[in-house]
Amino acid sequence: MSASMQNAPPASAGIHTEPAGRHAAAERHPPPDTHTPADRYEELFVAVQREAVFADSKTFPDCAPLGAPQEILAAYRQACTAPGFDLRSFVATHFAPQRPALASQAEAPAQDLRHHIDRLWDELTRHPDQHPHRGSLLALPHPYVVPGGRFVEMYYWDSYFTMLGLAASGRTQLLHAMTDNFAYLIERFGHVPNGTRTYYLSRSQPPLFACMVALCEGCGGQGALRYLPQLLREHAFWMDGAQALAPGQAHRRVVRLSDGALLNRYWDERAQPREEAWREDVATAAAAPQRPAAEVFRDLRAAAESGWDFSSRWLGTPPAGAGRLQALATIRTTRILPVDLNALLHQLESRIAQLAAQAGDAATARRHQALAGARRAAMDRWLWNEEAGAWLDLDWPEQTPRRGLNAATATPLFTRTASAAQATRLADTLARRLLVPGGLAATEQCSAEQWDRPNGWAPLQWMAAEGLAAYGCDALAGEIRARWLRTVDAVYQREHRLVEKYALHAHPEASGGSGGEYPLQDGFGWTNGVTRQWL
């Protein structure tokens, strides 16, 4: 261990340590252009989205410009007022849409499910030299795996579950490369963006970098200690502004409760429509004329940071007879202190304390161990609900629990935050309220949103089953695994594909999931990863 690592400075010191020997390629990249497509193309961007030049709102922000962006905008301004101006033709001349990450299978693959997943990794892998010269895609120094379908960039929390599958498939070099890509993003931007697009830089996703680091080390990659500076910087990002808060105040992602305890929420730095869902967000805000549009946009974006976009988990009580948009317009994400986020931050603080102690930095170790202890106590007081036998999200302005149970309640098992008694109670609650024939349901609520019943998702199965097993609840853990694998295999045998989410009906009626603001996507990174690991 080098002397510099034994005395690693805290995140606030502006460290720029990078994993040794892995980031030479990063020096070839100029400082990133962080202008988003809406920033760059201004009224052209609005016109393209408003007139639905592309059926999917994400298509235009992902396009690669075929010339200098400033010249394209100037050409548009000169041409757009001319008689007969054709916006679609203009866009087709100046922009190249990105191709989907993986085409659907036309016929049954020859391999069984395990070998099919092993083959998919190459199809879903992208390399730095394939990046378009201009556009919204953030340059990365190393290869990486994309989820699939319309998602042709690297995503934060998706990638951890994808990496589990890479480990099972023996693709450890790719796993190591992806870990270093995330370290690089923290160095460049101070946090891991939601995904590697400029329009994602204003938010992150559930903080799983500590899990990636542990997985990387366990697969023969860089030791976890080498990533301590990046772990510190990520923690500083989530806790920005905490020290100045009085009880009852919030700043960005941190809330100080009435007893002085600190817990976290999801947030986004911007309060405009998401660029990848511009039309959808404008329509949602219009469905809530009594709310400031910026408030709706911020809550939509914060839900995107959670990864649960969207779910009844974040919604208020819709008016009687409300349609999907009216229900979604009640979104209140920034009022909610989520169980999963706080459990993952407890894990991060505990891991930093452990690694700092290994590095001989006793002060950093003590500080983060105290933070972890304080967070666990706050979670016990504010998020654990003895009556429900579960961890419940908190409406912090009202200081009341959110009564709808969701699968994030299992995250404190995954992060080893729960006590043994809490784990026993929670196992019973999960079995009674969320276990269904196809696996673990996302929530108890059926809705038009994709993170509600009848859908289930690979990351929720993994965190619940692995967390339950860690506390000795092996029967329920095994049941979740078995039901999920039957669901995935049933769809694979019938449709020859793996998909983003699943409707958890009894076998053989299991199917791909539905709901939300875009069609079901094939691929699919985290489904492949969790399934391959359990196979």
Side-chain angles (χ1 to χ4, degrees):
M1 182 192 317
S2 70
S4 62
M5 281 309 302
Q6 291 174 340
N7 299 285
S12 58
I15 53 173
H16 291 282
T17 306
E18 296 182 344
R22 302 276 304 175
H23 283 173
E27 300 306 317
R28 295 198 298 268
H29 296 295
D33 177 1
T34 57
H35 285 84
T36 72
D39 293 337
R40 177 66 73 200
Y41 297 110
E42 301 183 27
E43 69 271 27
L44 170 58
F45 179 88
V46 173
V48 171
Q49 296 290 51
R50 179 176 289 146
E51 296 186 27
V53 171
F54 298 101
D56 185 343
S57 290
K58 191 177 186 298
T59 303
F60 184 58
D62 292 356
C63 281
L66 299 178
Q70 64 273 23
E71 294 176 4
I72 294 174
L73 180 58
Y76 170 75
R77 287 171 171 168
Q78 183 175 8
C80 67
T81 57
F85 173 72
D86 186 336
L87 179 61
R88 292 177 183 273
S89 176
F90 181 89
V91 170
T93 299
H94 293 283
F95 295 92
Q98 303 298 285
R99 290 182 297 176
L102 183 70
S104 297
Q105 294 283 340
E107 55 188 38
Q111 306 99 335
D112 62 17
L113 182 54
R114 178 185 288 104
H115 290 96
H116 178 67
I117 293 172
D118 289 344
R119 184 185 63 79
L120 283 177
W121 298 131
D122 285 337
E123 295 191 44
L124 294 172
T125 298
R126 299 294 179 269
H127 299 271
D129 59 6
Q130 297 171 337
H131 288 184
H133 176 54
R134 303 179 178 93
S136 62
L137 190 65
L138 297 173
L140 293 171
H142 307 298
Y144 55 94
V145 177
V146 302
R150 72 203 283 266
F151 302 110
V152 294
E153 50 282 315
M154 188 174 73
Y155 283 80
Y156 186 5
W157 81 311
D158 294 59
S159 292
Y160 170 66
F161 304 98
T162 297
M163 290 158 69
L164 293 169
L166 294 177
S169 295
R171 303 294 295 271
T172 55
Q173 289 302 113
L174 186 52
L175 187 160
H176 302 159
M178 290 182 69
T179 308
D180 280 348
N181 278 330
F182 285 106
Y184 166 82
L185 289 168
I186 294 172
E187 286 301 319
R188 279 256 163 148
F189 303 110
H191 69 287
V192 179
N194 179 157
T196 50
R197 294 278 177 185
T198 57
Y199 55 77
Y200 286 143
L201 283 169
S202 57
R203 62 178 180 266
S204 187
Q205 271 195 329
L208 283 160
F209 182 59
C211 294
M212 296 176 183
V213 164
L215 182 62
C216 181
E217 181 177 62
C219 292
Q222 300 268 8
L225 190 60
R226 194 66 185 86
Y227 297 100
L228 178 58
Q230 289 82 17
L231 292 168
L232 284 162
R233 283 197 76 179
E234 178 167 56
H235 185 260
F237 165 80
W238 285 97
M239 299 307 296
D240 178 57
Q243 296 307 311
L245 291 178
Q249 289 184 335
H251 178 73
R252 299 179 76 227
R253 293 166 176 82
V254 191
V255 175
R256 191 176 293 278
L257 292 158
S258 58
D259 63 350
L262 288 170
L263 289 173
N264 286 75
R265 63 178 177 175
Y266 291 113
W267 182 256
D268 190 296
E269 307 310 321
R270 295 192 174 213
Q272 297 90 33
R274 291 170 297 150
E275 296 183 26
E276 74 281 11
W278 191 93
R279 290 194 304 278
E280 291 83 353
D281 286 3
V282 169
T284 301
Q290 74 284 5
R291 297 182 66 189
E295 181 181 288
V296 177
F297 296 147
R298 177 94 67 190
D299 281 325
L300 290 166
R301 284 171 166 267
E305 181 169 84
S306 80
W308 288 57
D309 44 335
F310 295 104
S311 170
S312 60
R313 181 183 182 190
W314 311 123
L315 305 186
T317 303
R324 177 179 178 264
L325 277 185
Q326 288 176 300
L328 186 57
T330 68
I331 194 164
R332 55 199 303 163
T333 319
T334 57
R335 292 176 57 97
I336 296 170
L337 303 184
V339 171
D340 45 0
L341 174 59
N342 284 283
L344 290 168
L345 288 171
H346 174 261
Q347 179 188 53
L348 175 59
E349 289 160 346
S350 300
R351 186 62 167 148
I352 288 172
Q354 179 188 35
L355 292 173
Q358 290 179 24
D361 186 348
T364 297
R366 284 194 302 270
R367 181 167 60 252
H368 286 82
Q369 194 58 55
L371 290 171
R375 187 181 298 276
R376 182 172 183 170
M379 291 178 66
D380 281 345
R381 175 172 180 185
W382 291 100
L383 304 183
W384 174 255
N385 189 283
E386 187 64 28
E387 179 184 357
W391 304 87
L392 300 179
D393 300 330
L394 181 76
D395 183 324
W396 68 268
E398 298 293 332
Q399 298 191 34
T400 57
R402 301 274 293 172
R403 290 294 173 180
L405 188 68
N406 63 73
T409 191
T411 313
L413 304 183
F414 176 70
T415 60
R416 315 301 191 264
T417 304
S419 68
Q422 287 168 335
T424 300
R425 290 290 314 283
L426 184 58
D428 178 66
T429 302
L430 289 171
R432 286 187 295 106
R433 297 175 62 178
L434 290 181
L435 186 65
V436 295
L440 198 69
T443 68
E444 294 181 294
Q445 178 70 41
C446 287
S447 84
E449 301 304 335
Q450 62 176 348
W451 286 86
D452 278 319
R453 289 197 185 198
N455 291 344
W457 297 75
L460 305 183
Q461 316 302 312
W462 177 265
M463 290 192 287
E466 297 302 305
L468 287 162
Y471 285 84
C473 304
D474 296 312
L476 181 55
E479 193 62 34
I480 291 171
R481 290 190 200 103
R483 294 186 186 196
W484 176 253
L485 288 175
R486 283 198 298 269
T487 295
V488 173
D489 190 61
V491 175
Y492 177 71
Q493 296 302 329
R494 185 175 63 247
E495 302 179 16
H496 323 307
R497 59 177 183 157
L498 292 99
V499 295
E500 178 187 19
K501 55 187 178 278
Y502 290 82
L504 302 182
H505 304 305
H507 178 78
E509 285 76 30
S511 65
S514 60
E517 58 191 7
Y518 57 83
L520 182 66
Q521 301 295 304
D522 291 0
F524 194 86
W526 59 20
T527 300
N528 303 347
V530 169
T531 301
R532 183 64 177 87
Q533 181 69 228
W534 279 345
L535 286 173

